Amino acid sequence: MFKVAAGVIAGFCLSSAALAQFAGGSGTISDPYTIETPAQFAHMSGNSAYWSSSFELVNDIDLSGYDGQDGNPAYDIMAADTDPDSPGFQGTAFTGRLNGAGHKITNLHIAADNNDYTGLIGYIGYGGNITNLEIADAVITNAGSCCGILAGQSSGSVIGCQISGNAQGYEYIGGLIGYSQAGSIENCQGDVQVNGRFSVGGLLGCNDGGSIYNSKVFAGSHITGETSSNNIGGLVGYNKGELNSSSSRATVTGVNSTYVGGLVGYIEHSNVVKCFADADVVSSGSSLYIGGLVGYGSTIDFEECYSRGDVTAESSSFVGGLIGYGLNINVLNAYSWGDIAGMNYVGGLFGFNDFGTAYYTYSAGAVSGSAYVGGYVGCNKYGNLYYSLWDSTRASGVSFTAGANIGGELDTVYAKRTDQMEQYLTFAEVRFDIRDMLLNGTDDIWQRDTSNLLPVFTWQDDAMLFSGGSGTEEDPFLIATALDLYRIADYKWEYYGSHYRQAADIDMIDYDGLEGRKAYRIIGDNEYFTSKSVGKGYVNAFYFLFSGAYDGAGYTISNLSIERLNDNYSGMVGVLTAEGELKNIALEGCRVNAYQYTGAIAGQSEGVVSGCTVDVDMTAQYCSGGVVGYNKGTISDCSCTGSIETESNNIGGVAGSSNNLIENCSTSITVNAHNRSGGIVGENNGSVINCHSEGVVNGWDNVGGVAGWSYSVVDRCSSVVSVDGASNTGGVIGYNEGRGVITSCFSQGTTAGTYNVGGLAGINYGTVNNCYSTNDIVTGSTSAGAAFGSSSGIVSNCYTAGSGLAGNIRGFAGSLSGTYSNCYWDSEIAGVTNGVGGTGDDPVEVVALGTAEMMQRASFAGFDFIGDEDGTDDLWSIREGYAYPRLTWQPVAVGDIAGSYAVDSADIYALAGYWLTEAGDPEWNKAVDIVDDNRIDLLDLAAIAVNWLK
């Protein structure tokens, strides 16, 4: 009983002392001691009685008062070696728990004086656990063996810890832990400078039977092996344990060293999965076994690993981009990008492969050396290497896959040029399991990287496809650079059905194909793929078409240049399928020089093109347009400025030929073409609705301000175009077929031609309703009319205010072959006495009116004006007493009182005619009162000035 009581008393005394020394807690797992001051931490580290207890930091800890400088005590290493003169660890290991809880320990300074087991903790024993702790800017100098910023040696578990600082010693020197014996490291990271002689690593000097998972060494870290050192690695110096999802971006340096690697210097009897090194490896002097990932490996399985850094070891032997020397290794899916320089046994992937196997690997760097140099492997000794590639362009001067091959298998390892290495099919044909390439497997191990088009692993978090996004409708690929846009065409196997959204203005000047620059590549270029065996399967023949969606999001693409003189289907997109969509794309300063089926946005579209604006200088041939060449889908809310030059047919400002819908589009363009040319569309087999064209359209036959030839519907369209052709020339339509319908349209430009020349249509065999023309007919020798050159169809509710200047000309039509009703023409402006040519007196349905009458709503029976009883669609509006009717869908610029669709000198003249008039005056005209203050004065003039030339 006495002993029990004594124990209780001793426990009570310890608990009381702990309560005095810590901020709280009882030291159990569920109720750890809490530490909030450096003194409390020092009390814990200096008392072995606590090293099996649980602790938690509740504050950052600054150990500057324990640096051994300026009279301060030196830091008392927790679980330190108590007998440095005896081999191995002597003392009490830390077997408790320390939870940093996200807090930081700073100013850990230890001058080790060549002592072993140096760090914040000397030895973490079995069961010991350190979690969520950061140690920042630590400095450990002159250590002997087993030195790390967190611990000298560990057989416990370390999870979620981060360290930064310097560690320097002799052997087993690591940024985090010097020596790990069957311990585990998980989710740890370091930003360190580590220097030593034997087994030196960014996180661990030696991993003996333990595991490392999801841990990394940051870029800027430097791991240095002193002269005649060995086992130097960016993450681990020597490894005999599991490595998974871990990496090093540290620069690794050796001098006359042996076993130097970007990730691990020496590794044996291990599995390495999803690990990489991405920094340079440099070893000067006569070094051995130098690799971008691993210097020397024996009996290892590597899976999905890579190295991206350069390996520079000109005087060294056994030098490889991935592995310097491999004995009995198995490599499945791996690559190396770095440039490799060595002396003997030098290879792009392996320096020396001894009885090893590899599948689905490649190297893409330059390779140089003196003897036994191969683009892929320096020497392959009884190794079996399959379905792999190396870049023969980059490895210039190297003629062979292997510098030497001793009884090995290399039949399916291929040398390819850089341009071939950038092609999806090159890797698909050697069975790489590429994302969405189902023939080669469904694991989706590989994908291509935007920056260089070489395959990378799908798990890589730095494998950017474009500037972000995943390609879904909810998370589209982001196109923010010229390279992004250029690369879309490179992903025609994988992502032609994906969604894209522009995220910035893009200047394509670096991809204009001039002065040695790359030429822009067409998205969905209609290239024909011939059926063939690919990888493990067979692909049927097909064309590469774009079925995805691209949203310009209001940003611009400038200086897009397309030079394809002998190619069809040219544009930003070649062919858009019925599932595809192109919207809100703005092209500025676009230059296109191509053949047939050419448009700045798309050569051919079966999908949706909407909200696009184009400024283009185009030279093309048959079936080409400023926006789309051949439209089989819908085009809406698009506009085009610039010019189109051709000697061919079916040319239009928006589309060359259309079999579907064009609506709400406008042009201000110069078109110089041959047959079937129009300001909006060359040949219309669909519907053209709510469109407006301005500019110049020149051609030979069938030339129109809106359409050159129409088989179908042209509705609510307007033209302010100078149209010039030989035959069948019209302000709106050149040739309107028998099934063609023109309704609620008008033209206010000029029409010139020789045969069948009309202000509204050159020749009409179809139906025309509710239209008018104020075109001047400046030439016309046969069948010329202010509205129609020749008409054999149905014409109703039309009027003209045009004038004829030559030939058999009348105010409304060149000759009467059709039926007219409710047609009107301005007899004052026309300058002729007849509205229809070849008829003697005009039919009663063609009514001559004065200019003032033509500006009154009541004159146009059947026209559906806003607020009248002729219909509910409200298609027309009019500024009575001042302007001709206009379509209500057309925006009115403030100050456009002349009705010319622009604010210019015409409005100044109009304003002058009513200067200083007021409401109630006999000559008062409300339509001229821009600011609506019942007076025409400087305020109205100022309104014109503000909107000048809009």
Side-chain angles (χ1 to χ4, degrees), residues 769-825:
N769 297 313
N770 302 332
C771 298
Y772 78 86
S773 170
T774 64
N775 274 36
D776 287 342
I777 311 301
V778 297
T779 61
S781 59
T782 306
S783 298
F788 303 99
S790 178
S791 178
S792 298
I794 300 171
V795 183
S796 63
N797 298 338
C798 300
Y799 76 91
T800 179
S803 60
L805 301 180
N808 181 21
I809 300 169
R810 295 297 183 267
F812 194 79
S815 62
L816 179 61
S817 301
T819 302
Y820 297 81
S821 63
N822 298 327
C823 299
Y824 308 92
W825 60 287

Side-chain angles (χ1 to χ4, degrees), residues 118-260:
T118 305
L120 182 78
I121 304 171
Y123 194 116
I124 301 171
Y126 292 100
N129 179 269
I130 313 296
T131 58
N132 303 318
L133 177 66
E134 179 179 356
I135 305 174
D137 301 322
V139 178
I140 300 177
T141 58
N142 299 319
S145 296
C146 302
C147 167
I149 290 173
L150 175 66
Q153 182 167 326
S154 174
S155 296
S157 61
V158 178
I159 303 172
C161 293
Q162 180 174 335
I163 47 95
S164 66
N166 301 314
Q168 182 266 325
Y170 184 69
E171 64 178 347
Y172 305 129
I173 311 300
L176 182 74
I177 296 169
Y179 191 105
S180 175
Q181 186 175 44
S184 64
I185 311 297
E186 183 176 347
N187 298 326
C188 293
Q189 53 196 23
D191 181 3
V192 294
Q193 308 295 311
V194 182
N195 182 281
R197 186 76 177 273
F198 303 111
S199 297
V200 181
L203 279 189
L204 297 180
C206 176
N207 177 35
D208 185 3
S211 64
I212 303 174
Y213 177 75
N214 196 32
S215 295
K216 66 185 72 174
V217 175
F218 291 126
S221 298
H222 203 138
I223 315 305
T224 303
E226 297 175 352
T227 302
S228 300
S229 57
N230 63 33
N231 303 342
I232 313 300
L235 187 78
V236 185
Y238 172 90
N239 189 82
K240 186 179 179 180
E242 300 296 313
L243 292 179
N244 194 304
S245 302
S246 296
S247 62
S248 165
R249 298 183 186 273
T251 298
V252 181
T253 304
V255 181
N256 292 327
S257 300
T258 305
Y259 314 126
V260 181

Side-chain angles (χ1 to χ4, degrees), residues 55-71:
F55 297 87
E56 181 176 317
L57 301 187
V58 294
N59 203 357
D60 291 345
I61 303 297
D62 183 353
L63 293 177
S64 58
Y66 297 86
D67 60 3
Q69 303 292 319
D70 301 324

Side-chain angles (χ1 to χ4, degrees), residues 82 128 133 278 510 557 633 700 769 825 889:
T82 57
L133 177 66
D278 189 3
D510 290 335
I557 299 171
W700 184 250
N769 297 313
W825 60 287
W889 66 263

Side-chain angles (χ1 to χ4, degrees), residues 556-586:
T556 62
I557 299 171
S558 59
N559 298 310
L560 179 65
S561 181
I562 298 170
E563 191 76 19
R564 286 161 50 98
L565 282 173
N566 299 314
D567 294 319
N568 299 330
Y569 304 104
S570 297
M572 176 179 162
V573 173
V575 177
L576 182 71
T577 69
E579 299 78 21
E581 181 179 13
L582 305 174
K583 65 180 182 180
N584 306 322
I585 299 170

